[in-house]
Amino acid sequence: MNYIFIDTAEGTRVLLCAGDKYHYSEDLTNAGAETLMPTIDRLLSESGVKLSELDAIGACVGPGSFTGLRIGLTTVKTLCYCLGKPCFAVNNLRLNAYNNDSGKVISVADAGSNVCYIARYDGDTELDAAKCVTLDGARAAIAEHKDFALSTDVKLGKILGGVSGVGEREMRIAADKAIASTVSYAELLPLYIRKPQPERGEGDL
């Protein structure tokens, strides 16, 4: 199985699977197209795999940075359209939860301005769908479900504690699970939980 999995919800992470070997790169300071495409080209060159030899291409669909997600999804959809390849999608909070080996996990990711994305999982079952809450709301949910382990992104790990960060291991777990359910490029859609800032009204998170 050959695939590429792209995560631009927070910076740029790219995982390339070439048979039984993995090639990984991350740049958490930049989610721009000027970083993404050269990274893909470099990993393809390192692996010896051609774009035409990929079985599927995956994307982290959110929730996360509006601009970052658009760049990642547009890249994946364009490649899949041009190459005639299927896509697979990974929820950012589900990806984030794989940094904790506990079966019962609350996953929290930063949304900026003291606002968080949060979801709750029991193994592969989603108990609470992704939603947007304040930082205090996240703390309340964590306190309410003390029997659940806490997984966060790097930024919130410094604030809330818990296991934090996503890397090659989490990307591999998520991709290997998600690739079993591929879709066409037209069905690959972003998961936007929070409105863009210009569209937020008074009281909106």
Side-chain angles (χ1 to χ4, degrees):
M1 174 69 72
N2 299 330
Y3 65 75
I4 288 177
F5 175 30
I6 294 169
D7 173 17
T8 52
E10 177 194 16
T12 300
R13 297 184 180 93
V14 182
L15 174 71
L16 188 152
C17 175
D20 60 353
K21 296 182 179 179
Y22 291 87
H23 302 261
Y24 176 75
S25 179
E26 71 174 36
D27 179 355
L28 299 186
T29 64
N30 196 328
E34 69 275 9
T35 300
L36 181 56
M37 291 310 301
T39 299
I40 293 172
D41 288 340
R42 176 170 56 81
L43 294 184
L44 287 168
S45 178
E46 288 178 3
S47 67
V49 173
K50 299 178 181 178
L51 278 173
S52 60
E53 296 174 330
L54 294 173
D55 297 295
I57 305 175
C60 180
V61 296
S65 160
F66 287 94
T67 301
L69 290 176
R70 282 195 293 268
I71 290 170
L73 267 69
T74 298
T75 299
V76 171
K77 288 166 73 79
T78 300
L79 288 173
C80 288
Y81 170 76
C82 294
L83 298 168
K85 304 293 182 179
C87 311
F88 61 90
V90 175
N91 179 312
N92 183 39
L93 291 168
R94 175 71 277 187
L95 171 62
N96 189 60
Y98 289 129
N99 67 26
N100 198 309
D101 291 329
S102 172
K104 301 170 72 174
V105 179
I106 291 178
S107 179
V108 188
D110 181 54
S113 304
N114 292 317
V115 175
C116 312
Y117 300 116
I118 188 169
R120 191 164 55 100
Y121 301 95
D122 187 352
D124 288 329
T125 301
E126 183 181 70
L127 300 179
D128 295 326
K131 61 182 179 181
C132 202
V133 299
T134 63
L135 191 56
D136 285 341
R139 290 191 178 101
I142 294 165
E144 180 182 354
H145 301 287
K146 293 181 179 179
D147 56 331
F148 281 71
L150 174 63
S151 290
T152 70
D153 59 17
V154 173
K155 181 176 180 179
L156 289 183
K158 299 174 182 178
I159 300 172
L160 298 174
V163 180
S164 65
V166 169
E168 180 180 347
R169 173 183 175 273
E170 291 74 27
M171 295 275 285
R172 287 170 62 170
I173 294 171
D176 289 345
K177 289 177 177 288
I179 202 168
S181 302
T182 58
V183 297
S184 72
Y185 74 91
E187 297 174 281
L188 190 68
L189 301 173
L191 176 61
Y192 291 142
I193 304 299
R194 195 180 191 194
K195 294 179 180 178
Q197 188 167 357
E199 298 178 13
R200 290 177 210 152
E202 186 176 350
D204 286 339
L205 294 181

